Amino acid sequence: IKAGVPLLPIALIGTREVMAMGSPVFHPFRRVTLRIGEPIPTDGLTMRDRGQLTEAVREQIVAMLAKPCETSRKPGFQGVRA
């Protein structure tokens, strides 16, 4: 808010398969999906608006997490899909 730049919501899907919380085992060839939301403008907002901003970010992340993921057995970077 202080910087006045747009906030970009992101969602990471599949990180638990790479390394479960509390687990010492790392699985490097599991697929992780990065989803990038729409920028949320912050210009004109004050610190009093942070709850509203937090909710807007949360709504986008929840929506991104709700979308089904494509599954692939190929490890590594698969490129950008529309």
Side-chain angles (χ1 to χ4, degrees):
I1 292 176
K2 290 180 183 179
V5 297
L7 192 59
L8 192 61
I10 63 167
L12 287 170
I13 302 157
T15 57
R16 195 171 294 162
E17 286 76 22
V18 173
M19 187 169 191
M21 190 178 340
S23 172
V25 180
F26 178 73
H27 302 279
F29 297 106
R30 302 292 169 96
R31 184 181 183 125
V32 174
T33 301
L34 169 66
R35 292 192 176 148
I36 302 172
E38 294 296 320
I40 300 172
T42 62
D43 53 324
L45 297 181
T46 68
M47 293 306 285
R48 291 181 181 169
D49 300 313
R50 67 182 165 209
Q52 174 187 347
L53 181 60
T54 300
E55 186 57 29
V57 171
R58 183 186 175 287
E59 286 175 7
Q60 278 200 42
I61 293 172
V62 167
M64 289 187 281
L65 292 173
K67 291 181 184 177
C69 286
E70 292 182 25
T71 57
S72 173
R73 295 188 178 172
K74 297 177 186 174
F77 180 71
Q78 300 295 314
V80 177
R81 294 189 179 135

